[in-house]
Amino acid sequence: MAQYHITLNDELLHGLFTRDEGLAKLLEQVLNQILEAQVEEQLGARRYERTEERKGYRNGSYPRQLTTRV
């Protein structure tokens, strides 16, 4: 299993304790970063990066709403 480095900003961490939607924002950030890392791992290249080792192409994406109990 791969290890991922998750980056969170101070505003997001502060929002965990001061706003109702803080946990939802945290979950959103973590999931987005994990999904991005998985795509980079599968393709062998970062977004907009052109390399000889690249294994595929991105088709693009658009924002989606994830509904959870959080």
Side-chain angles (χ1 to χ4, degrees):
M1 177 153 202
Q3 293 184 353
Y4 301 110
H5 178 75
I6 304 297
T7 304
L8 303 173
N9 61 24
D10 291 335
E11 181 183 335
L12 182 65
L13 292 175
H14 181 68
L16 279 173
F17 304 106
T18 59
R19 292 183 295 221
D20 292 336
E21 71 272 356
L23 187 57
K25 292 288 185 188
L26 174 66
L27 182 60
E28 177 184 1
Q29 287 290 319
V30 170
L31 288 176
N32 283 334
Q33 289 182 34
I34 289 172
L35 291 172
E36 184 68 28
Q38 287 178 340
V39 169
E40 289 175 6
E41 184 180 327
Q42 289 291 319
L43 293 179
R46 293 177 180 237
R47 187 181 294 251
Y48 307 114
E49 181 181 23
R50 305 291 185 243
T51 65
E52 294 295 323
E53 296 84 28
R54 189 177 195 107
K55 301 174 189 170
Y57 297 95
R58 292 175 178 246
N59 286 335
S61 64
Y62 57 91
R64 294 175 178 86
Q65 183 72 30
L66 177 64
T67 305
T68 67
R69 293 183 308 166
V70 178

